Amino acid sequence: MSLFTGTATYYRQFRPGIPEDVAAVLDRATPVRTNGPRRLLDVGTGTGLVVEALLDRFDDIIAADNDADMLATAESALRPKLPEGSRLTLVESTAEDFVPPAGWKADLVTICRAFHWLDQAAVLRLLDSQVAPDGVVAIFGDNSFWAAGSPWKEAVRDVIKTFLGEERRAGSGTFQHHNRPYSEIMEESPFNQVEEIRVPVQRTWTTASILGYLYSTSFAAPHLFGDRLEEFETAVKSRLTDFSDSDTFPEDNEFLIRIGRRSKT
């Protein structure tokens, strides 16, 4: 069973997309191509939120994920929006097993909200042969609800712990935290020239969108609650009434983008 079994529909509908400001940072970091296509490889694409944000900036896109349901959802969402003349290929594969077509080199590799699931050093080594000589790797994400950061998110996290235990779940197991900064890991890879960029983002949530987001995660997927799912929903709704009379919950978040390039020789 995938860590995200049963979450694809929630993921597509309730996971926040990639802001235009983040897409612009990624675009500026990527080399411009005047001869030949500009190529994007999105690793751990999920339902294609990163690809959607970058569709009009790349001509040849490969999006890889090991979850067939996620890829099917991405296909349905992205294919109708693909600009004329552009190519989109969806590949069911882990990052560790992915092999691009012969001669295909990415100008930009994106890994969004997924690097913690990967064999990080191994994937970065593999990408060395899959990225153009002047290409870049971008590892980025925003803070999940588990990281809290505001009273209402802390309350929601407490409800999850009441039902599923103190440790953050990851499917049938528990989440294994990485205690090394991603930039440090990148600095030990072929993409060792690392630039960090922070992009603030403000959002407003409702009770429905909070629950939808939770059901898109590996730590609060619906199947984890078994026959207590309705009880969990009731508890979250009750707890959230302590923080808003209008069903609006503001969030200050940020995307931390790490852009990795090879050393110039």
mmCIF file of all heavy atoms in Angstrom, residues 144-170:
data_model
loop_
_atom_site.group_PDB
_atom_site.id
_atom_site.type_symbol
_atom_site.label_atom_id
_atom_site.label_comp_id
_atom_site.label_asym_id
_atom_site.label_seq_id
_atom_site.Cartn_x
_atom_site.Cartn_y
_atom_site.Cartn_z
ATOM 1 N N SER A 144 4.131 22.028 6.471
ATOM 2 C CA SER A 144 2.878 21.292 6.584
ATOM 3 C C SER A 144 2.165 21.667 7.883
ATOM 4 O O SER A 144 2.730 22.325 8.763
ATOM 5 C CB SER A 144 3.141 19.779 6.566
ATOM 6 O OG SER A 144 3.523 19.325 7.847
ATOM 7 N N PHE A 145 0.923 21.216 8.001
ATOM 8 C CA PHE A 145 0.180 21.473 9.227
ATOM 9 C C PHE A 145 0.864 20.839 10.430
ATOM 10 O O PHE A 145 0.698 21.303 11.554
ATOM 11 C CB PHE A 145 -1.248 20.925 9.109
ATOM 12 C CG PHE A 145 -2.208 21.864 8.434
ATOM 13 C CD1 PHE A 145 -1.760 22.856 7.580
ATOM 14 C CD2 PHE A 145 -3.563 21.751 8.649
ATOM 15 C CE1 PHE A 145 -2.643 23.716 6.949
ATOM 16 C CE2 PHE A 145 -4.468 22.600 8.031
ATOM 17 C CZ PHE A 145 -4.010 23.579 7.179
ATOM 18 N N TRP A 146 1.596 19.770 10.202
ATOM 19 C CA TRP A 146 2.249 19.119 11.341
ATOM 20 C C TRP A 146 3.274 20.042 11.985
ATOM 21 O O TRP A 146 3.532 19.958 13.184
ATOM 22 C CB TRP A 146 2.905 17.809 10.913
ATOM 23 C CG TRP A 146 3.238 16.962 12.094
ATOM 24 C CD1 TRP A 146 4.425 16.924 12.787
ATOM 25 C CD2 TRP A 146 2.359 16.051 12.774
ATOM 26 N NE1 TRP A 146 4.340 16.053 13.835
ATOM 27 C CE2 TRP A 146 3.079 15.499 13.850
ATOM 28 C CE3 TRP A 146 1.041 15.647 12.566
ATOM 29 C CZ2 TRP A 146 2.527 14.563 14.717
ATOM 30 C CZ3 TRP A 146 0.494 14.718 13.420
ATOM 31 C CH2 TRP A 146 1.237 14.188 14.487
ATOM 32 N N ALA A 147 3.842 20.939 11.187
ATOM 33 C CA ALA A 147 4.816 21.890 11.736
ATOM 34 C C ALA A 147 4.145 22.985 12.549
ATOM 35 O O ALA A 147 4.817 23.766 13.229
ATOM 36 C CB ALA A 147 5.625 22.520 10.603
ATOM 37 N N ALA A 148 2.824 23.026 12.495
ATOM 38 C CA ALA A 148 2.008 23.992 13.252
ATOM 39 C C ALA A 148 2.437 25.413 12.913
ATOM 40 O O ALA A 148 2.509 25.777 11.760
ATOM 41 C CB ALA A 148 2.075 23.701 14.739
ATOM 42 N N GLY A 149 2.727 26.241 13.933
ATOM 43 C CA GLY A 149 3.107 27.623 13.664
ATOM 44 C C GLY A 149 2.014 28.626 13.964
ATOM 45 O O GLY A 149 2.237 29.825 13.918
ATOM 46 N N SER A 150 0.816 28.153 14.259
ATOM 47 C CA SER A 150 -0.264 29.044 14.672
ATOM 48 C C SER A 150 -1.161 28.264 15.631
ATOM 49 O O SER A 150 -1.204 27.030 15.584
ATOM 50 C CB SER A 150 -1.063 29.545 13.464
ATOM 51 O OG SER A 150 -1.733 28.480 12.831
ATOM 52 N N PRO A 151 -1.876 28.959 16.506
ATOM 53 C CA PRO A 151 -2.685 28.253 17.515
ATOM 54 C C PRO A 151 -3.709 27.290 16.914
ATOM 55 O O PRO A 151 -3.902 26.180 17.438
ATOM 56 C CB PRO A 151 -3.363 29.394 18.284
ATOM 57 C CG PRO A 151 -2.417 30.549 18.130
ATOM 58 C CD PRO A 151 -1.851 30.416 16.757
ATOM 59 N N TRP A 152 -4.380 27.680 15.831
ATOM 60 C CA TRP A 152 -5.413 26.787 15.284
ATOM 61 C C TRP A 152 -4.788 25.541 14.662
ATOM 62 O O TRP A 152 -5.362 24.448 14.749
ATOM 63 C CB TRP A 152 -6.331 27.519 14.323
ATOM 64 C CG TRP A 152 -5.743 27.987 13.019
ATOM 65 C CD1 TRP A 152 -5.259 29.236 12.731
ATOM 66 C CD2 TRP A 152 -5.618 27.222 11.813
ATOM 67 N NE1 TRP A 152 -4.821 29.301 11.429
ATOM 68 C CE2 TRP A 152 -5.036 28.076 10.835
ATOM 69 C CE3 TRP A 152 -5.927 25.918 11.453
ATOM 70 C CZ2 TRP A 152 -4.764 27.657 9.537
ATOM 71 C CZ3 TRP A 152 -5.652 25.482 10.163
ATOM 72 C CH2 TRP A 152 -5.077 26.354 9.212
ATOM 73 N N LYS A 153 -3.612 25.666 14.057
ATOM 74 C CA LYS A 153 -2.959 24.479 13.503
ATOM 75 C C LYS A 153 -2.446 23.572 14.618
ATOM 76 O O LYS A 153 -2.491 22.344 14.498
ATOM 77 C CB LYS A 153 -1.815 24.888 12.574
ATOM 78 C CG LYS A 153 -2.291 25.393 11.228
ATOM 79 C CD LYS A 153 -1.214 25.347 10.166
ATOM 80 C CE LYS A 153 -0.175 26.399 10.338
ATOM 81 N NZ LYS A 153 0.781 26.433 9.212
ATOM 82 N N GLU A 154 -1.963 24.155 15.692
ATOM 83 C CA GLU A 154 -1.533 23.345 16.839
ATOM 84 C C GLU A 154 -2.711 22.560 17.408
ATOM 85 O O GLU A 154 -2.565 21.394 17.798
ATOM 86 C CB GLU A 154 -0.913 24.247 17.904
ATOM 87 C CG GLU A 154 0.429 24.845 17.488
ATOM 88 C CD GLU A 154 0.951 25.865 18.498
ATOM 89 O OE1 GLU A 154 0.334 25.992 19.576
ATOM 90 O OE2 GLU A 154 1.967 26.520 18.206
ATOM 91 N N ALA A 155 -3.880 23.194 17.457
ATOM 92 C CA ALA A 155 -5.071 22.510 17.970
ATOM 93 C C ALA A 155 -5.455 21.338 17.069
ATOM 94 O O ALA A 155 -5.807 20.255 17.554
ATOM 95 C CB ALA A 155 -6.229 23.508 18.077
ATOM 96 N N VAL A 156 -5.391 21.545 15.761
ATOM 97 C CA VAL A 156 -5.705 20.464 14.825
ATOM 98 C C VAL A 156 -4.710 19.321 14.988
ATOM 99 O O VAL A 156 -5.088 18.137 14.999
ATOM 100 C CB VAL A 156 -5.706 20.991 13.375
ATOM 101 C CG1 VAL A 156 -5.768 19.838 12.378
ATOM 102 C CG2 VAL A 156 -6.885 21.940 13.149
ATOM 103 N N ARG A 157 -3.451 19.654 15.135
ATOM 104 C CA ARG A 157 -2.438 18.614 15.324
ATOM 105 C C ARG A 157 -2.699 17.829 16.611
ATOM 106 O O ARG A 157 -2.530 16.602 16.637
ATOM 107 C CB ARG A 157 -1.045 19.239 15.353
ATOM 108 C CG ARG A 157 0.085 18.211 15.397
ATOM 109 C CD ARG A 157 1.443 18.880 15.375
ATOM 110 N NE ARG A 157 1.627 19.766 16.521
ATOM 111 C CZ ARG A 157 2.731 20.497 16.713
ATOM 112 N NH1 ARG A 157 3.719 20.474 15.835
ATOM 113 N NH2 ARG A 157 2.835 21.263 17.775
ATOM 114 N N ASP A 158 -3.139 18.513 17.651
ATOM 115 C CA ASP A 158 -3.444 17.819 18.911
ATOM 116 C C ASP A 158 -4.588 16.832 18.737
ATOM 117 O O ASP A 158 -4.589 15.745 19.330
ATOM 118 C CB ASP A 158 -3.777 18.837 19.999
ATOM 119 C CG ASP A 158 -2.552 19.597 20.498
ATOM 120 O OD1 ASP A 158 -1.425 19.132 20.216
ATOM 121 O OD2 ASP A 158 -2.723 20.650 21.133
ATOM 122 N N VAL A 159 -5.577 17.195 17.919
ATOM 123 C CA VAL A 159 -6.688 16.276 17.663
ATOM 124 C C VAL A 159 -6.178 15.032 16.931
ATOM 125 O O VAL A 159 -6.547 13.895 17.266
ATOM 126 C CB VAL A 159 -7.802 16.960 16.848
ATOM 127 C CG1 VAL A 159 -8.886 15.944 16.464
ATOM 128 C CG2 VAL A 159 -8.418 18.108 17.630
ATOM 129 N N ILE A 160 -5.316 15.243 15.937
ATOM 130 C CA ILE A 160 -4.745 14.104 15.206
ATOM 131 C C ILE A 160 -4.002 13.182 16.165
ATOM 132 O O ILE A 160 -4.143 11.951 16.115
ATOM 133 C CB ILE A 160 -3.800 14.598 14.097
ATOM 134 C CG1 ILE A 160 -4.553 15.422 13.060
ATOM 135 C CG2 ILE A 160 -3.101 13.411 13.414
ATOM 136 C CD1 ILE A 160 -3.655 16.143 12.080
ATOM 137 N N LYS A 161 -3.218 13.744 17.066
ATOM 138 C CA LYS A 161 -2.468 12.936 18.025
ATOM 139 C C LYS A 161 -3.401 12.149 18.947
ATOM 140 O O LYS A 161 -3.087 11.013 19.333
ATOM 141 C CB LYS A 161 -1.544 13.835 18.853
ATOM 142 C CG LYS A 161 -0.366 14.400 18.077
ATOM 143 C CD LYS A 161 0.513 15.258 18.980
ATOM 144 C CE LYS A 161 1.750 15.755 18.267
ATOM 145 N NZ LYS A 161 2.616 16.580 19.140
ATOM 146 N N THR A 162 -4.520 12.750 19.293
ATOM 147 C CA THR A 162 -5.479 12.049 20.150
ATOM 148 C C THR A 162 -5.980 10.769 19.478
ATOM 149 O O THR A 162 -6.160 9.737 20.138
ATOM 150 C CB THR A 162 -6.669 12.974 20.464
ATOM 151 O OG1 THR A 162 -6.193 14.117 21.186
ATOM 152 C CG2 THR A 162 -7.712 12.253 21.304
ATOM 153 N N PHE A 163 -6.157 10.829 18.166
ATOM 154 C CA PHE A 163 -6.698 9.676 17.435
ATOM 155 C C PHE A 163 -5.618 8.705 16.959
ATOM 156 O O PHE A 163 -5.854 7.492 16.921
ATOM 157 C CB PHE A 163 -7.511 10.158 16.231
ATOM 158 C CG PHE A 163 -8.892 10.633 16.586
ATOM 159 C CD1 PHE A 163 -9.088 11.893 17.139
ATOM 160 C CD2 PHE A 163 -9.994 9.820 16.381
ATOM 161 C CE1 PHE A 163 -10.357 12.342 17.471
ATOM 162 C CE2 PHE A 163 -11.267 10.251 16.714
ATOM 163 C CZ PHE A 163 -11.456 11.514 17.271
ATOM 164 N N LEU A 164 -4.444 9.224 16.605
ATOM 165 C CA LEU A 164 -3.440 8.374 15.943
ATOM 166 C C LEU A 164 -2.135 8.238 16.710
ATOM 167 O O LEU A 164 -1.227 7.538 16.254
ATOM 168 C CB LEU A 164 -3.140 8.935 14.538
ATOM 169 C CG LEU A 164 -4.330 8.983 13.576
ATOM 170 C CD1 LEU A 164 -3.886 9.576 12.240
ATOM 171 C CD2 LEU A 164 -4.941 7.600 13.369
ATOM 172 N N GLY A 165 -2.032 8.886 17.867
ATOM 173 C CA GLY A 165 -0.813 8.771 18.652
ATOM 174 C C GLY A 165 0.095 9.975 18.511
ATOM 175 O O GLY A 165 -0.065 10.793 17.606
ATOM 176 N N GLU A 166 1.057 10.073 19.418
ATOM 177 C CA GLU A 166 1.917 11.247 19.476
ATOM 178 C C GLU A 166 2.862 11.358 18.287
ATOM 179 O O GLU A 166 3.202 12.451 17.841
ATOM 180 C CB GLU A 166 2.742 11.217 20.774
ATOM 181 C CG GLU A 166 1.952 11.551 22.019
ATOM 182 C CD GLU A 166 1.476 13.005 22.018
ATOM 183 O OE1 GLU A 166 2.279 13.892 21.662
ATOM 184 O OE2 GLU A 166 0.307 13.237 22.363
ATOM 185 N N GLU A 167 3.317 10.227 17.768
ATOM 186 C CA GLU A 167 4.263 10.262 16.655
ATOM 187 C C GLU A 167 3.548 10.556 15.349
ATOM 188 O O GLU A 167 2.439 10.063 15.102
ATOM 189 C CB GLU A 167 4.998 8.921 16.536
ATOM 190 C CG GLU A 167 5.911 8.608 17.706
ATOM 191 C CD GLU A 167 7.067 9.582 17.812
ATOM 192 O OE1 GLU A 167 7.608 9.958 16.757
ATOM 193 O OE2 GLU A 167 7.421 9.967 18.937
ATOM 194 N N ARG A 168 4.194 11.339 14.502
ATOM 195 C CA ARG A 168 3.632 11.639 13.187
ATOM 196 C C ARG A 168 3.587 10.366 12.353
ATOM 197 O O ARG A 168 4.590 9.689 12.181
ATOM 198 C CB ARG A 168 4.475 12.702 12.478
ATOM 199 C CG ARG A 168 4.033 12.999 11.048
ATOM 200 C CD ARG A 168 4.868 14.109 10.447
ATOM 201 N NE ARG A 168 4.607 14.240 9.009
ATOM 202 C CZ ARG A 168 5.145 15.166 8.235
ATOM 203 N NH1 ARG A 168 5.975 16.059 8.755
ATOM 204 N NH2 ARG A 168 4.868 15.213 6.945
ATOM 205 N N ARG A 169 2.406 10.043 11.846
ATOM 206 C CA ARG A 169 2.246 8.837 11.059
ATOM 207 C C ARG A 169 2.778 9.043 9.636
ATOM 208 O O ARG A 169 2.813 10.155 9.113
ATOM 209 C CB ARG A 169 0.771 8.440 10.988
ATOM 210 C CG ARG A 169 0.177 8.010 12.312
ATOM 211 C CD ARG A 169 0.710 6.661 12.761
ATOM 212 N NE ARG A 169 0.262 5.590 11.878
ATOM 213 C CZ ARG A 169 -0.881 4.920 12.040
ATOM 214 N NH1 ARG A 169 -1.700 5.201 13.045
ATOM 215 N NH2 ARG A 169 -1.217 3.950 11.211
ATOM 216 N N ALA A 170 3.163 7.940 9.035
ATOM 217 C CA ALA A 170 3.521 7.905 7.611
ATOM 218 C C ALA A 170 2.974 6.588 7.090
ATOM 219 O O ALA A 170 3.662 5.575 7.069
ATOM 220 C CB ALA A 170 5.020 8.002 7.404
#
